[in-house]
Every structure is written in C-alpha cells, then in structure tokens.
Amino acid sequence: MTDGTTEPTRPRAPRGDLASYERYPYTADGVTHTVYRKGAGPVVVVITEMPGISPMVVGFADRVIALGCTAVLPDLFGEAGRDPTTIGRAAAAGYGLRSMGGACISREFSVMAAGKSSPVVSWLRALAHEEHERAGGPGVGVVGMCFTGGFALAMAVDDLVLAPVMSQPSLPFPVGAARRAGIDTSDADLAIVKQRCDAEGLRVLGLRFDGDPFVPRERFGHLKERLGDGFVAVELRQDDGHPDGELAKSHSVLTGDLIDEPGEPTRAALDQVLDLFRRRLVEA
C-alpha cells in the first residue's frame, strides 16, 4: 500500500513509437501489405494481435531490437499505431469489432477452420525470406499473437524459421469440441514441423493464460500430442495477469496483461521469449 488506502500501480508493458520505424509496401503472390521495419541483425517477424499494431506491440518489438535483431511488423488489419487503451472503452470496442469483422471476411484468414493454414501464411513466409536476405543471420524468429498466434506455427514448416513463438493462439474460434482442440495449421504442415522438432531440435514456444476463453487448454493439449517435446507450453494463472487488463479475462501475455516487473510470471514468460530469440538468432 502506498498511503494506507491506495494500491500501487503495477508497471505495464512499454509503449513504442511506430513513427520511428521505416515503412514500406511489400508484395508477394499479388497481395500487398504495409510493413514496418527497425533495427539491425537477424530478423524477428512480429505479427500483431487484434485489433492492430498498437503501441504495446511496438514496445515488444523495441525489446526485440534491443537484443540485436531487426523487428519486422506486417500491417495485416486495424489502424497501425492506434492505441485502443486511450480512446475509451466504447470506442475501443467498436475499433476492435471493425478490425475483427474485416479480418473475418478476408480470404487471407481461416478463422473457423481447424486443421487449415491461413492463406496469408504464404505471404508471411515470402516476407521472412526477403527480410532475411537483406539482414542476414542464421535464420528468422516469428511471434504471432492472439488472432495470428498460429501463424508462427504454420511458418515453422520453413527451415528458415528457427524460433517460432505462439502467444495466446486464438484461431480457430473455439466453437465446438473440434475447434477447441484444433489449431489453424494444416495436418501436413504440423507433420513437417514435428519432423523438424525431431530431426533438428526445433522448439515451438506457446504462451497462454489458463481460463482464457479464446485459447482453451485442449488446444495446447493437442499441440503437445502432435509435437511432443517439440512444443514448450508456458501456462499462466489468471491472477498472473495485469489487474488493469482490457478484457474480463487475462489474455495478452506479452502486451496488455503483462506486469512488467522482475519476479512476475508474465515478465518471466516475456524473458523466456526474448531468450529464445537471443540463443537461436543472436548468439548462434
């Protein structure tokens, strides 16, 4: 307690400034998206959570840059740079629904199909190769968050991806038993990732809060069954999330529900992600 009556404010995830990033259009397979890039060294593709590239997502990318990596942020939905925590709950809810609605009707995303990789993954793989050729290094890292969490897994079929991270992978929407235990990655892609785990020692890191309705425990159980020791699950308690999180349940491990303080479980999860990038990309 600070004065006997008021709880101290818990430190939140840092916010970054997207204006400090280079911005350019990237086209592959006839599809163009804006991409933001900053840093030097091996590439980490940071795929934003809903509703878009927020200052907290940029703050995470800034930490990747501090490792000695290049952060590459594809702008796939929403309004890049907009901070939903500063516009009021009603406006933030409307913004989130617009972003989600646009993504749901887009042919680039498979939001309801378990066992199917989203078409946008091919575009992301091409972007990773383009950026790796420019930046160099032993390979690339990928982190997908929320709506895009499973994209990191699907991208790991590519030998170039050395450090895949799935933070609160929320697709397919968990409606029905099959989707609760499913993931938006095809069986063929999962088999390739499993082969890489067995032959190369690849490890896929997964993060979730227990009790998160968007990421059922059955989903991580399915990934453990399919990938064995190749899947490293980090599962946090609901009480580990930030008390001022935007949702009723803790959800965003690396951003909105992070308590940015040493000794906190969410900070330990963040440090585990950064250590994976450091070991596989920088120190290698």
Side-chain angles (χ1 to χ4, degrees):
M1 308 289 280
T2 54
D3 58 5
T5 59
T6 305
E7 289 285 351
T9 301
R10 308 304 300 276
R12 302 207 65 178
R15 290 168 165 80
D17 181 9
L18 195 60
S20 66
Y21 283 62
E22 175 189 358
R23 172 181 171 176
Y24 68 97
Y26 177 71
T27 302
D29 301 326
V31 176
T32 301
H33 289 288
T34 298
V35 176
Y36 294 85
R37 177 208 293 139
K38 186 177 179 180
V43 166
V44 175
V45 182
V46 179
I47 318 174
T48 187
E49 60 197 352
M50 281 288 172
I53 302 175
S54 70
M56 283 189 181
V57 172
V58 180
F60 170 80
D62 287 344
R63 283 180 146 142
V64 169
I65 294 164
L67 294 175
C69 294
T70 301
V72 174
L73 287 70
D75 182 12
L76 303 179
F77 42 75
E79 301 173 33
R82 189 173 190 183
D83 190 347
T85 68
T86 64
I87 60 177
R89 286 189 177 273
Y95 171 42
L97 287 173
R98 288 193 301 275
S99 294
M100 181 71 74
C104 286
I105 64 175
S106 170
R107 294 181 179 180
E108 291 188 274
F109 308 104
S110 300
V111 300
M112 293 299 291
K116 181 179 180 181
S117 300
S118 288
V120 74
V121 170
S122 295
W123 184 91
L124 289 165
R125 289 172 185 158
L127 173 66
H129 275 269
E130 179 84 8
E131 285 291 341
H132 174 257
E133 185 174 343
R134 183 194 62 80
V140 305
V142 182
V143 54
M145 306 177 183
C146 179
F147 192 86
T148 69
F151 297 177
L153 176 63
M155 287 180 69
V157 304
D158 196 318
D159 292 344
L160 190 66
V161 175
L162 301 182
V165 177
M166 311 167 63
S167 191
Q168 74 271 3
S170 303
L171 294 185
F173 294 144
V175 180
R179 294 189 184 97
R180 287 180 63 84
I183 189 70
D184 56 332
T185 302
S186 71
D187 286 341
D189 285 352
L190 265 177
I192 294 171
V193 176
K194 167 62 172 173
Q195 186 177 39
R196 290 194 64 202
C197 291
D198 294 344
E200 306 168 25
L202 179 74
R203 293 296 178 263
V204 179
L205 186 60
L207 316 171
R208 69 178 286 269
F209 285 100
D210 193 26
D212 181 351
F214 299 106
V215 195
R217 66 174 60 192
E218 294 95 326
R219 182 161 297 163
F220 272 30
H222 171 69
L223 290 169
K224 191 66 178 177
E225 179 181 330
R226 292 298 303 269
L227 300 180
D229 292 340
F231 181 63
V232 179
V234 178
E235 300 186 86
L236 306 167
R237 302 174 305 160
Q238 278 293 311
D239 289 346
D240 294 332
H242 201 288
D244 297 328
E246 282 70 53
L247 300 178
K249 293 275 191 177
S250 295
H251 173 68
S252 299
V253 179
L254 302 176
T255 55
D257 292 298
L258 170 70
I259 301 177
D260 194 16
E261 191 170 60
E264 290 290 337
T266 50
R267 174 62 181 272
L270 167 67
D271 290 342
Q272 189 169 348
V273 171
L274 297 175
D275 183 62
L276 176 66
F277 294 150
R278 181 185 298 107
R279 287 186 292 103
R280 298 304 307 271
L281 302 176
V282 180
E283 294 176 355

